[in-house]
Coordinates of all heavy atoms in Angstrom, one line a residue:
M4 N 22.2 -67.6 -43.6 CA 21.0 -66.8 -43.6 C 20.5 -66.5 -42.2 O 20.1 -65.3 -41.9 CB 19.9 -67.6 -44.3 CG 18.6 -66.8 -44.6 SD 19.0 -65.4 -45.7 CE 17.5 -64.4 -45.4
F5 N 20.6 -67.4 -41.3 CA 20.1 -67.2 -39.9 C 21.0 -66.2 -39.2 O 20.6 -65.3 -38.5 CB 20.2 -68.5 -39.1 CG 19.8 -68.4 -37.7 CD1 18.4 -68.1 -37.3 CD2 20.7 -68.4 -36.7 CE1 18.1 -68.0 -36.0 CE2 20.4 -68.2 -35.3 CZ 19.0 -68.0 -35.0
K6 N 22.4 -66.2 -39.6 CA 23.3 -65.2 -39.0 C 23.0 -63.8 -39.4 O 23.0 -62.9 -38.6 CB 24.7 -65.6 -39.4 CG 25.4 -66.6 -38.6 CD 26.8 -66.9 -39.0 CE 27.4 -68.0 -38.1 NZ 28.8 -68.3 -38.6
L7 N 22.5 -63.6 -40.6 CA 22.2 -62.3 -41.1 C 20.9 -61.8 -40.4 O 20.9 -60.6 -40.0 CB 21.9 -62.4 -42.6 CG 21.6 -61.0 -43.3 CD1 22.8 -60.2 -43.4 CD2 21.0 -61.3 -44.7
F8 N 20.0 -62.7 -40.2 CA 18.7 -62.4 -39.4 C 19.1 -61.9 -38.0 O 18.6 -60.9 -37.5 CB 17.8 -63.6 -39.5 CG 16.5 -63.3 -38.8 CD1 15.6 -62.4 -39.4 CD2 16.1 -63.9 -37.6 CE1 14.3 -62.2 -38.8 CE2 14.9 -63.7 -37.1 CZ 14.0 -62.8 -37.6
L9 N 20.0 -62.7 -37.4 CA 20.4 -62.4 -36.0 C 21.1 -61.0 -35.9 O 20.9 -60.2 -35.0 CB 21.4 -63.5 -35.5 CG 21.5 -63.6 -34.0 CD1 20.3 -64.1 -33.3 CD2 22.7 -64.6 -33.7
F10 N 21.9 -60.8 -36.9 CA 22.7 -59.5 -37.0 C 21.8 -58.3 -37.1 O 21.9 -57.3 -36.4 CB 23.6 -59.6 -38.3 CG 24.5 -58.3 -38.5 CD1 25.5 -58.1 -37.6 CD2 24.1 -57.4 -39.5 CE1 26.3 -56.9 -37.8 CE2 24.9 -56.3 -39.6 CZ 26.0 -56.1 -38.8
I11 N 20.7 -58.5 -37.9 CA 19.7 -57.4 -38.1 C 19.0 -57.1 -36.8 O 18.8 -56.0 -36.4 CB 18.7 -57.7 -39.2 CG1 19.4 -57.6 -40.6 CG2 17.5 -56.8 -39.2 CD1 18.7 -58.3 -41.7
I12 N 18.6 -58.2 -36.1 CA 18.0 -58.1 -34.8 C 18.9 -57.4 -33.8 O 18.4 -56.5 -33.0 CB 17.5 -59.5 -34.2 CG1 16.3 -59.9 -35.0 CG2 17.2 -59.4 -32.7 CD1 15.8 -61.3 -34.7
I13 N 20.1 -57.7 -33.7 CA 21.1 -57.1 -32.8 C 21.2 -55.6 -33.1 O 21.2 -54.8 -32.2 CB 22.5 -57.8 -32.8 CG1 22.3 -59.2 -32.2 CG2 23.6 -57.0 -32.2 CD1 23.5 -60.1 -32.4
I14 N 21.4 -55.3 -34.4 CA 21.5 -53.9 -34.8 C 20.2 -53.1 -34.4 O 20.3 -52.0 -33.8 CB 21.7 -53.7 -36.4 CG1 23.1 -54.3 -36.8 CG2 21.5 -52.3 -36.8 CD1 24.3 -53.6 -36.2
F15 N 19.1 -53.7 -34.6 CA 17.8 -53.0 -34.2 C 17.7 -52.8 -32.7 O 17.3 -51.8 -32.2 CB 16.6 -53.9 -34.7 CG 15.3 -53.3 -34.4 CD1 14.8 -52.2 -35.1 CD2 14.5 -53.8 -33.4 CE1 13.6 -51.6 -34.8 CE2 13.3 -53.2 -33.1 CZ 12.8 -52.2 -33.8
A16 N 18.2 -53.8 -32.0 CA 18.1 -53.8 -30.5 C 19.1 -52.7 -30.0 O 18.7 -51.9 -29.1 CB 18.6 -55.1 -29.9
I17 N 20.3 -52.6 -30.6 CA 21.2 -51.5 -30.2 C 20.6 -50.1 -30.5 O 20.7 -49.2 -29.7 CB 22.6 -51.7 -30.9 CG1 23.3 -53.0 -30.3 CG2 23.5 -50.5 -30.8 CD1 24.5 -53.5 -31.0
Y18 N 20.0 -50.0 -31.7 CA 19.4 -48.7 -32.2 C 18.3 -48.3 -31.2 O 18.2 -47.1 -30.8 CB 18.9 -48.9 -33.6 CG 18.3 -47.6 -34.1 CD1 19.0 -46.5 -34.4 CD2 16.9 -47.6 -34.3 CE1 18.4 -45.4 -34.9 CE2 16.2 -46.4 -34.7 CZ 17.0 -45.3 -35.1 OH 16.4 -44.2 -35.5
T19 N 17.5 -49.3 -30.8 CA 16.3 -49.0 -29.9 C 16.9 -48.5 -28.5 O 16.4 -47.6 -28.0 CB 15.4 -50.2 -29.8 OG1 15.0 -50.6 -31.1 CG2 14.2 -49.9 -28.9
L20 N 17.9 -49.3 -28.1 CA 18.5 -48.9 -26.8 C 19.1 -47.5 -26.8 O 19.0 -46.8 -25.9 CB 19.6 -50.0 -26.5 CG 20.0 -50.1 -25.0 CD1 18.8 -50.7 -24.2 CD2 21.2 -50.9 -24.8
W21 N 19.8 -47.2 -27.9 CA 20.5 -45.9 -28.1 C 19.4 -44.8 -28.0 O 19.6 -43.8 -27.4 CB 21.2 -45.9 -29.4 CG 22.0 -44.7 -29.6 CD1 23.2 -44.3 -29.1 CD2 21.7 -43.6 -30.4 NE1 23.6 -43.1 -29.5 CE2 22.7 -42.6 -30.3 CE3 20.6 -43.3 -31.2 CZ2 22.6 -41.4 -31.0 CZ3 20.5 -42.1 -31.9 CH2 21.5 -41.1 -31.8
Q22 N 18.3 -45.0 -28.7 CA 17.2 -44.0 -28.7 C 16.7 -43.8 -27.3 O 16.4 -42.7 -26.9 CB 16.1 -44.5 -29.6 CG 16.3 -44.1 -31.1 CD 15.1 -44.3 -31.9 OE1 14.3 -45.2 -31.7 NE2 14.8 -43.4 -32.9
H23 N 16.5 -44.9 -26.6 CA 16.0 -44.8 -25.2 C 17.0 -44.0 -24.3 O 16.6 -43.2 -23.5 CB 15.9 -46.3 -24.7 CG 15.3 -46.3 -23.3 ND1 14.0 -46.0 -23.0 CD2 15.8 -46.7 -22.1 CE1 13.7 -46.1 -21.7 NE2 14.8 -46.5 -21.2
V24 N 18.3 -44.3 -24.5 CA 19.3 -43.6 -23.7 C 19.3 -42.1 -24.1 O 19.4 -41.2 -23.2 CB 20.7 -44.2 -24.0 CG1 21.8 -43.3 -23.4 CG2 20.8 -45.6 -23.4
Q25 N 19.1 -41.7 -25.3 CA 19.1 -40.3 -25.7 C 17.9 -39.6 -25.1 O 18.0 -38.5 -24.7 CB 19.0 -40.2 -27.3 CG 20.2 -40.7 -28.0 CD 21.5 -39.9 -27.6 OE1 21.5 -38.7 -27.6 NE2 22.5 -40.6 -27.2
K26 N 16.7 -40.3 -25.0 CA 15.5 -39.8 -24.4 C 15.7 -39.5 -23.0 O 15.4 -38.5 -22.4 CB 14.4 -40.8 -24.6 CG 13.0 -40.1 -24.6 CD 11.9 -41.1 -24.8 CE 11.6 -41.4 -26.3 NZ 10.5 -42.4 -26.4
L27 N 16.4 -40.5 -22.3 CA 16.7 -40.3 -20.9 C 17.6 -39.1 -20.6 O 17.5 -38.4 -19.7 CB 17.4 -41.6 -20.3 CG 16.4 -42.8 -20.1 CD1 17.2 -44.0 -19.6 CD2 15.3 -42.5 -19.1
K28 N 18.6 -39.0 -21.5 CA 19.6 -37.9 -21.4 C 18.8 -36.5 -21.5 O 19.1 -35.6 -20.7 CB 20.6 -37.9 -22.5 CG 21.8 -38.8 -22.2 CD 22.8 -38.7 -23.3 CE 24.0 -39.7 -23.0 NZ 24.9 -39.7 -24.2
V29 N 17.9 -36.4 -22.4 CA 17.1 -35.2 -22.6 C 16.3 -34.9 -21.3 O 16.2 -33.8 -20.8 CB 16.2 -35.3 -23.9 CG1 15.2 -34.1 -23.9 CG2 17.0 -35.3 -25.1
Q30 N 15.6 -36.0 -20.8 CA 14.8 -35.8 -19.6 C 15.7 -35.4 -18.4 O 15.3 -34.5 -17.6 CB 14.1 -37.1 -19.3 CG 12.9 -37.4 -20.2 CD 12.3 -38.7 -20.0 OE1 12.8 -39.6 -19.3 NE2 11.1 -38.9 -20.5
A31 N 16.9 -36.0 -18.3 CA 17.8 -35.6 -17.2 C 18.3 -34.2 -17.3 O 18.4 -33.5 -16.3 CB 19.0 -36.6 -17.2
G32 N 18.5 -33.8 -18.6 CA 18.9 -32.4 -18.8 C 17.8 -31.4 -18.4 O 18.1 -30.4 -17.7
K33 N 16.6 -31.7 -18.7 CA 15.4 -30.9 -18.3 C 15.3 -30.8 -16.8 O 15.1 -29.8 -16.2 CB 14.1 -31.4 -18.9 CG 13.9 -31.0 -20.3 CD 12.6 -31.6 -20.9 CE 12.5 -31.3 -22.3 NZ 11.3 -32.0 -22.9
K34 N 15.5 -32.0 -16.1 CA 15.4 -32.1 -14.7 C 16.5 -31.1 -14.0 O 16.2 -30.4 -13.1 CB 15.7 -33.5 -14.2 CG 14.8 -33.9 -13.0 CD 15.0 -35.4 -12.7 CE 14.0 -35.9 -11.7 NZ 14.2 -37.3 -11.4
N35 N 17.7 -31.2 -14.6 CA 18.8 -30.3 -14.0 C 18.4 -28.9 -14.1 O 18.7 -28.1 -13.2 CB 20.1 -30.6 -14.7 CG 20.7 -32.0 -14.3 OD1 20.3 -32.5 -13.3 ND2 21.6 -32.5 -15.1
T36 N 17.9 -28.4 -15.2 CA 17.6 -27.0 -15.4 C 16.4 -26.6 -14.4 O 16.4 -25.5 -14.0 CB 17.3 -26.6 -16.8 OG1 16.2 -27.5 -17.3 CG2 18.5 -26.8 -17.7
D37 N 15.5 -27.6 -14.2 CA 14.4 -27.3 -13.2 C 14.9 -27.1 -11.8 O 14.4 -26.3 -11.1 CB 13.4 -28.4 -13.3 CG 12.6 -28.4 -14.5 OD1 12.7 -27.4 -15.3 OD2 11.9 -29.4 -14.8
E38 N 16.0 -27.8 -11.5 CA 16.5 -27.8 -10.1 C 17.2 -26.5 -9.8 O 17.3 -26.0 -8.7 CB 17.4 -29.0 -9.8 CG 16.5 -30.2 -9.6 CD 17.4 -31.5 -9.6 OE1 18.6 -31.4 -9.7 OE2 16.8 -32.5 -9.5
I39 N 17.8 -25.8 -10.8 CA 18.5 -24.6 -10.7 C 17.5 -23.4 -10.7 O 17.1 -23.0 -11.8 CB 19.6 -24.4 -11.7 CG1 20.6 -25.6 -11.6 CG2 20.4 -23.1 -11.5 CD1 21.5 -25.7 -12.9
K40 N 17.1 -23.0 -9.5 CA 16.2 -21.9 -9.4 C 17.0 -20.6 -9.1 O 17.9 -20.6 -8.3 CB 15.2 -22.1 -8.3 CG 14.2 -23.2 -8.7 CD 13.3 -23.6 -7.6 CE 12.4 -24.7 -7.9 NZ 11.6 -25.2 -6.8
P41 N 16.6 -19.5 -9.7 CA 17.3 -18.2 -9.4 C 17.0 -17.8 -8.0 O 15.8 -18.0 -7.5 CB 16.7 -17.2 -10.4 CG 15.4 -17.8 -10.9 CD 15.6 -19.3 -10.7
M42 N 18.0 -17.3 -7.3 CA 17.8 -16.9 -5.9 C 17.9 -15.4 -5.8 O 18.5 -14.7 -6.6 CB 19.0 -17.5 -5.0 CG 19.1 -19.0 -5.1 SD 17.7 -19.9 -4.3 CE 18.1 -19.7 -2.6
Q43 N 17.2 -14.9 -4.8 CA 17.2 -13.5 -4.5 C 17.5 -13.2 -3.0 O 17.0 -14.0 -2.2 CB 15.8 -12.8 -4.9 CG 15.5 -12.9 -6.4 CD 16.4 -12.1 -7.2 OE1 17.1 -11.2 -6.8 NE2 16.5 -12.4 -8.5
Q44 N 18.2 -12.2 -2.8 CA 18.6 -11.9 -1.4 C 17.6 -10.9 -0.8 O 17.3 -9.8 -1.5 CB 20.0 -11.3 -1.3 CG 20.5 -11.2 0.1 CD 22.0 -10.8 0.2 OE1 22.5 -10.2 -0.8 NE2 22.6 -11.0 1.3
C45 N 17.1 -11.1 0.4 CA 16.2 -10.2 1.0 C 16.9 -8.9 1.3 O 18.0 -8.9 1.9 CB 15.6 -10.8 2.3 SG 14.5 -9.7 3.2
Y46 N 16.3 -7.8 0.9 CA 16.9 -6.5 1.1 C 17.0 -6.1 2.6 O 17.9 -5.4 3.0 CB 16.1 -5.4 0.3 CG 16.8 -4.0 0.3 CD1 17.9 -3.8 -0.4 CD2 16.2 -3.0 1.1 CE1 18.5 -2.5 -0.4 CE2 16.8 -1.7 1.1 CZ 17.9 -1.5 0.3 OH 18.5 -0.3 0.3
F47 N 16.1 -6.7 3.4 CA 16.0 -6.3 4.8 C 16.9 -7.2 5.7 O 17.7 -6.7 6.4 CB 14.5 -6.4 5.2 CG 14.3 -6.1 6.7 CD1 14.2 -4.8 7.1 CD2 14.1 -7.1 7.6 CE1 14.1 -4.4 8.4 CE2 13.9 -6.7 9.0 CZ 13.9 -5.4 9.3
C48 N 16.7 -8.6 5.5 CA 17.5 -9.5 6.4 C 18.6 -10.2 5.8 O 19.3 -11.1 6.4 CB 16.5 -10.4 7.1 SG 15.7 -11.6 6.0
Q49 N 18.8 -10.0 4.5 CA 20.0 -10.6 3.7 C 19.8 -12.1 3.5 O 20.8 -12.7 3.1 CB 21.3 -10.3 4.4 CG 21.5 -8.8 4.8 CD 21.5 -7.9 3.7 OE1 22.2 -8.0 2.7 NE2 20.6 -6.8 3.8
V50 N 18.7 -12.7 3.8 CA 18.5 -14.1 3.6 C 18.2 -14.4 2.1 O 17.5 -13.6 1.5 CB 17.3 -14.6 4.5 CG1 16.8 -16.0 4.1 CG2 17.8 -14.7 6.0
Y51 N 18.7 -15.5 1.6 CA 18.5 -15.9 0.2 C 17.3 -16.7 0.1 O 17.1 -17.7 0.9 CB 19.7 -16.6 -0.3 CG 20.8 -15.7 -0.7 CD1 21.9 -15.4 0.1 CD2 20.8 -15.1 -2.0 CE1 22.9 -14.6 -0.2 CE2 21.9 -14.3 -2.4 CZ 22.9 -14.0 -1.5 OH 23.9 -13.2 -1.8
V52 N 16.4 -16.4 -0.8 CA 15.2 -17.2 -1.0 C 15.0 -17.4 -2.5 O 15.5 -16.5 -3.3 CB 13.9 -16.5 -0.5 CG1 13.8 -16.6 1.0 CG2 13.8 -15.1 -0.9
S53 N 14.3 -18.4 -2.9 CA 14.2 -18.7 -4.4 C 13.3 -17.5 -4.9 O 12.4 -17.0 -4.2 CB 13.5 -20.0 -4.6 OG 12.2 -20.0 -4.2
Q54 N 13.5 -17.2 -6.2 CA 12.8 -16.1 -6.8 C 11.3 -16.3 -6.8 O 10.5 -15.4 -6.8 CB 13.3 -15.9 -8.2 CG 12.9 -14.5 -8.8 CD 13.7 -14.1 -10.0 OE1 14.9 -14.1 -10.0 NE2 13.0 -13.9 -11.1
E55 N 10.9 -17.6 -6.8 CA 9.4 -17.9 -6.8 C 8.8 -17.5 -5.5 O 7.7 -17.0 -5.5 CB 9.2 -19.5 -6.9 CG 9.5 -19.9 -8.3 CD 9.5 -21.5 -8.4 OE1 9.2 -22.1 -7.4 OE2 9.7 -22.0 -9.5
E56 N 9.5 -17.6 -4.4 CA 9.0 -17.3 -3.1 C 9.3 -15.8 -2.7 O 8.6 -15.3 -1.8 CB 9.7 -18.2 -2.0 CG 9.3 -19.7 -2.1 CD 10.1 -20.5 -1.2 OE1 10.4 -20.1 -0.1 OE2 10.5 -21.7 -1.6
A57 N 10.2 -15.2 -3.3 CA 10.6 -13.9 -3.0 C 9.5 -12.9 -3.5 O 8.8 -13.1 -4.4 CB 12.0 -13.5 -3.6
I58 N 9.5 -11.7 -2.8 CA 8.5 -10.7 -3.1 C 9.3 -9.5 -3.6 O 10.3 -9.0 -3.0 CB 7.7 -10.3 -1.9 CG1 6.9 -11.5 -1.4 CG2 6.8 -9.1 -2.2 CD1 6.4 -11.4 0.1
K59 N 8.9 -9.0 -4.8 CA 9.6 -7.8 -5.3 C 8.8 -6.5 -5.0 O 7.6 -6.4 -5.2 CB 9.7 -8.0 -6.8 CG 10.7 -7.0 -7.5 CD 10.9 -7.2 -8.9 CE 12.1 -6.4 -9.5 NZ 12.3 -6.6 -10.9
G60 N 9.6 -5.6 -4.3 CA 9.0 -4.4 -3.9 C 8.9 -3.4 -5.1 O 9.5 -3.6 -6.1
P61 N 8.1 -2.3 -4.9 CA 7.9 -1.3 -6.0 C 9.2 -0.6 -6.4 O 9.4 -0.2 -7.5 CB 6.9 -0.3 -5.4 CG 6.6 -0.7 -4.0 CD 7.3 -2.0 -3.7
N62 N 10.2 -0.5 -5.5 CA 11.5 0.1 -5.8 C 12.5 -0.9 -6.4 O 13.7 -0.5 -6.5 CB 12.0 0.9 -4.6 CG 12.3 0.0 -3.4 OD1 12.3 -1.2 -3.5 ND2 12.6 0.6 -2.3
G63 N 12.1 -2.1 -6.6 CA 13.0 -3.1 -7.3 C 13.7 -4.0 -6.4 O 14.5 -4.8 -6.8
H64 N 13.6 -3.8 -5.1 CA 14.3 -4.7 -4.1 C 13.5 -5.9 -3.9 O 12.3 -5.9 -4.0 CB 14.5 -3.9 -2.8 CG 15.4 -2.8 -2.8 ND1 15.2 -1.6 -2.2 CD2 16.6 -2.6 -3.5 CE1 16.2 -0.7 -2.5 NE2 17.0 -1.3 -3.3
W65 N 14.2 -7.0 -3.5 CA 13.6 -8.3 -3.3 C 13.5 -8.5 -1.8 O 14.4 -8.1 -1.0 CB 14.4 -9.4 -3.9 CG 14.3 -9.4 -5.4 CD1 15.1 -8.8 -6.3 CD2 13.3 -10.1 -6.2 NE1 14.6 -9.0 -7.6 CE2 13.6 -9.8 -7.5 CE3 12.2 -10.9 -5.9 CZ2 12.8 -10.4 -8.6 CZ3 11.4 -11.5 -6.9 CH2 11.7 -11.2 -8.2
Y66 N 12.4 -9.2 -1.3 CA 12.2 -9.5 0.1 C 11.8 -11.0 0.3 O 11.2 -11.6 -0.6 CB 11.1 -8.6 0.7 CG 11.5 -7.1 0.5 CD1 11.0 -6.4 -0.6 CD2 12.3 -6.5 1.4 CE1 11.3 -5.1 -0.8 CE2 12.6 -5.2 1.2 CZ 12.1 -4.5 0.1 OH 12.5 -3.2 -0.1
C67 N 12.2 -11.5 1.5 CA 11.9 -12.9 1.8 C 10.4 -13.1 2.1 O 9.8 -14.2 2.0 CB 12.8 -13.4 2.9 SG 12.5 -12.6 4.5
C68 N 9.8 -12.0 2.7 CA 8.4 -12.1 3.1 C 7.7 -10.7 3.0 O 8.4 -9.7 2.9 CB 8.3 -12.6 4.5 SG 9.2 -11.7 5.7
A69 N 6.4 -10.7 3.1 CA 5.7 -9.4 2.9 C 6.0 -8.5 4.1 O 6.0 -7.3 3.9 CB 4.2 -9.7 2.9
E70 N 6.2 -9.1 5.3 CA 6.5 -8.3 6.5 C 7.8 -7.4 6.3 O 7.8 -6.2 6.6 CB 6.7 -9.2 7.7 CG 6.7 -8.5 9.0 CD 7.0 -9.5 10.2 OE1 7.8 -10.4 10.0 OE2 6.4 -9.2 11.2
H71 N 8.8 -8.0 5.7 CA 10.1 -7.3 5.5 C 9.9 -6.2 4.4 O 10.5 -5.2 4.4 CB 11.2 -8.3 5.1 CG 11.7 -9.0 6.3 ND1 12.6 -10.1 6.3 CD2 11.3 -8.9 7.7 CE1 12.8 -10.5 7.5 NE2 12.0 -9.9 8.3
A72 N 9.1 -6.6 3.4 CA 8.8 -5.6 2.3 C 8.1 -4.4 2.9 O 8.5 -3.2 2.5 CB 8.0 -6.3 1.2
Q73 N 7.2 -4.6 3.8 CA 6.4 -3.5 4.4 C 7.3 -2.6 5.3 O 7.2 -1.4 5.3 CB 5.2 -4.0 5.2 CG 4.1 -4.5 4.3 CD 3.0 -5.2 5.1 OE1 3.1 -5.5 6.3 NE2 2.0 -5.6 4.4
K74 N 8.2 -3.2 6.0 CA 9.1 -2.5 6.9 C 10.0 -1.5 6.1 O 10.3 -0.4 6.6 CB 10.0 -3.5 7.7 CG 9.3 -4.1 8.9 CD 10.2 -5.0 9.7 CE 9.5 -5.6 10.8 NZ 10.3 -6.5 11.6
V75 N 10.5 -1.9 5.0 CA 11.4 -1.1 4.2 C 10.7 -0.1 3.3 O 11.0 1.1 3.2 CB 12.4 -1.9 3.4 CG1 13.3 -1.1 2.5 CG2 13.2 -2.8 4.3
E76 N 9.6 -0.6 2.7 CA 8.9 0.2 1.7 C 7.7 1.0 2.2 O 6.6 0.9 1.6 CB 8.5 -0.7 0.5 CG 9.5 -1.7 0.1 CD 9.8 -1.6 -1.4 OE1 9.1 -0.9 -2.1 OE2 10.7 -2.3 -1.9
K77 N 7.8 1.6 3.4 CA 6.7 2.4 3.9 C 6.5 3.6 3.1 O 7.4 4.3 2.8 CB 7.1 2.7 5.4 CG 6.8 1.6 6.4 CD 7.1 2.1 7.8 CE 7.4 1.0 8.7 NZ 7.9 1.4 10.0
Ligands
ZN111 ZN1 13.8 -10.8 5.0

């Protein structure tokens, strides 16, 4: 009887651990996609900047800074 009780505890422990690992895998997956940011090349100086920092001009070109955008899009 004690062996059956121990067996149930071990199964429960493995199941709990497995769920924890699955949760960690999901979090790691989310982290990886966050780290991959789309990059844009500056139309003026050809430098690559993340799309968050890049500035999009009215003609559809991307720029690393407002200064370069103004120089091209006069
Ligand atoms: Zn630039």
Side-chain angles (χ1 to χ4, degrees):
M4 189 63 197
F5 179 73
K6 275 184 181 176
L7 185 72
F8 184 67
L9 200 70
F10 180 74
I11 289 165
I12 285 174
I13 288 166
I14 293 294
F15 181 75
I17 289 168
Y18 178 72
T19 306
L20 200 71
W21 184 79
Q22 275 191 324
H23 184 69
V24 167
Q25 293 301 310
K26 205 180 273 181
L27 286 178
K28 274 184 187 175
V29 169
Q30 284 175 347
K33 279 181 185 172
K34 214 176 193 180
N35 286 342
T36 54
D37 287 348
E38 282 168 5
I39 301 164
K40 289 175 183 170
M42 301 294 282
Q43 294 296 339
Q44 190 175 20
C45 177
Y46 187 72
F47 182 78
C48 67
Q49 314 299 308
V50 161
Y51 281 94
V52 286
S53 70
Q54 199 166 302
E55 287 174 1
E56 293 170 38
I58 297 158
K59 195 174 189 181
N62 63 10
H64 294 137
W65 288 90
Y66 302 96
C67 65
C68 57
E70 194 183 33
H71 287 173
Q73 284 169 358
K74 277 183 182 176
V75 178
E76 314 234 355
K77 279 181 202 171

